[in-house]
Amino acid sequence: MTSNVVRAERESIAAAADLLAEGGLVAFPTETVYGLGGDATRERVVARIFAAKGRPRFNPLIVHLSPGWPAEEIAIMDERAKRLAAKFWPGALTLVLTRAPGCPIALLASAGLDTVALRMPAHPIAQALLKKVHLPIAAPSANPSGRLSPTEAAHVVELLGDKVDLILDGGKCPGGLESTVIDLSVREARILRPGLVTAEEISEVLGEPVTIVNAAASAAPPPRDGDDALAPNNNVSEIISDEEIKSPGMLASHYAPKKPLRLNADAAQPGEAFLAFGPNPPRSILASLNLSPAGDLVEAAANLFAYLHRLDASQAHTIAVMPIPEDGIGAAINDRLRRAAAPRP
Ligand code: TXA
Ligand code: MG
């Protein structure tokens, strides 16, 4: 590991907070994945985040708040937002909301939209850092745009290395998949990115069904002009039909390992690594990892990116992946797998 990685403890968290306050970039663990954080109120700092990730400027960032931070000073918290925040914050839910008048967040973090994405993470290290720095922190996943998200500090070192000023090592992220992103800036709430908080759990709190805008389900090839913004493909325009697409969101091709993925595989073919799920899977000669021998989707989500990182480093030419059930957070796992397998721009 390079020298900009430190174990997260009291002093290093205080040093990280000082760096953030000075306009530096700090990678830190959350309960979902590692984030690449910077002061969300300064355009120049937000611009540095975009540059470090090689992220297209039209794709907005999530702003992280410490528990108790008055979100209504940043965005318009309607009844739905208040209910979801009360139920799922701190946690793995990101709310896309209309920017409040006088919103202090850099316009670049909203990528030119009149909305801002807010999340209050539950991870104790993320919370300690946010509390100490006392600023809203913009933090996309700490990976180059379009690549696998990091769930361990070593992944951040490998993916971003010296593009960050400091990497706080807090071990493995317990969730392993990015937060659920829900758009509340529109009349009918819609999930832009499935995640650890499921559509069913959200519908229950809102008392109405929510649609998943699932660009990854479409067979249409991804557009060539960006990395992880919502593809205005057939599937999406069907779902939101007459409404203009207000938000980027996610491109079809994303979360990609270097090797191609083959989904819904019964067994590995010669030369393939194998990502299994459930009891007694077929073996692969080259490399094989089981997301959850017990068939537990929560465990599978926690292992997904770490195992893809490992199989990506194997001798295999392709990673074959067993089918994963679509229920509960299986929807989010399959969303990431489909994006990882989609044709690359
Ligand atoms: O779990 C997570 O959400 C992690 C941790 C670090 O918090 N962060 C993360 O950020 O995954 P990022 O930037 O990799 O993904 C943010 C997603 C993107 O798909 C982006 O398009 C969407 O949220 N997003 C952000 N702001 C938005 C906005 N104003 N409108 C619509 N989509 C937005
Ligand atoms: Mg990301």
Side-chain angles (χ1 to χ4, degrees):
M1 285 204 180
T2 55
S3 55
N4 61 349
V5 190
V6 289
R7 248 203 20 230
E9 21 193 58
R10 249 176 95 92
E11 293 91 76
S12 57
I13 291 172
D18 288 345
L19 262 173
L20 285 171
E22 289 159 15
L25 302 188
V26 172
F28 62 95
T30 79
E31 71 275 29
T32 58
V33 301
Y34 274 76
L36 172 61
D39 180 352
T41 66
R42 285 155 72 176
E43 302 284 349
R44 286 182 60 143
V45 175
V46 174
R48 271 194 76 196
I49 298 178
F50 276 90
K53 274 184 68 84
R55 181 166 174 130
R57 294 286 179 118
F58 59 74
N59 193 8
L61 307 181
I62 298 175
V63 175
H64 296 64
L65 305 176
S66 115
W69 192 277
E72 62 281 358
E73 287 177 6
I74 296 178
I76 294 168
M77 296 285 287
D78 67 7
E79 207 44 51
R80 299 172 302 176
K82 283 183 188 150
R83 272 157 75 176
L84 290 176
K87 174 77 182 177
F88 297 110
W89 280 3
L93 183 69
T94 296
L95 306 179
V96 172
L97 303 162
T98 303
R99 290 171 67 105
C103 173
I105 304 301
L107 288 168
L108 192 51
S110 292
L113 302 169
D114 60 357
T115 55
V116 60
L118 296 182
R119 156 158 137 80
M120 224 171 247
H123 195 290
I125 294 169
Q127 288 193 353
L129 179 64
L130 289 165
K131 194 166 166 225
K132 188 86 189 157
V133 68
H134 203 67
L135 281 170
I137 296 297
S141 50
N143 54 313
S145 189
R147 296 282 307 280
L148 284 175
S149 293
T151 57
E152 298 171 19
H155 298 156
V156 185
V157 175
E158 184 197 320
L159 293 165
L160 290 176
D162 56 10
K163 294 208 175 90
V164 274
D165 298 313
L166 187 72
I167 300 168
L168 279 179
D169 185 351
K172 289 192 167 100
C173 301
L177 278 189
E178 301 86 351
S179 63
T180 304
V181 179
I182 183 162
D183 186 1
L184 297 178
S185 71
V186 285
R187 201 162 13 94
E188 279 174 30
R190 56 190 189 183
I191 292 175
L192 302 178
R193 180 175 72 183
L196 294 171
V197 176
T198 64
E200 294 79 17
E201 292 173 294
I202 291 172
S203 306
E204 203 168 295
V205 173
L206 293 181
E208 61 186 37
V210 287
T211 321
I212 302 180
V213 182
N214 197 350
S218 168
R224 302 185 59 88
D225 59 347
D227 243 314
D228 57 356
L230 182 75
N233 58 27
N234 298 335
N235 189 47
V236 171
S237 39
E238 241 172 63
I239 296 171
I240 54 180
S241 59
D242 54 348
E243 191 177 30
E244 92 179 351
I245 297 176
K246 270 179 67 177
S247 59
M250 294 167 284
L251 267 191
S253 165
H254 193 38
Y255 309 106
K258 291 188 199 112
K259 299 189 198 303
L261 248 63
R262 185 169 70 82
L263 301 185
N264 298 315
D266 300 327
Q269 287 166 4
E272 286 184 339
F274 196 50
L275 189 60
F277 176 80
N280 309 316
R283 305 288 305 172
S284 149
I285 311 165
L286 276 181
S288 172
L289 290 170
N290 194 331
L291 288 170
S292 171
D296 174 1
L297 289 168
V298 174
E299 184 184 18
N303 289 330
L304 181 69
F305 288 140
Y307 285 8
L308 285 173
H309 276 287
R310 274 165 64 181
L311 295 180
D312 210 19
S314 74
Q315 304 278 305
H317 56 69
T318 299
I319 304 171
V321 187
M322 274 179 79
I324 310 288
E326 187 68 28
D327 34 271
I329 66 167
I333 297 174
N334 284 319
D335 170 77
R336 304 304 188 275
L337 285 171
R338 283 192 287 263
R339 288 177 205 284
R344 316 275 164 89

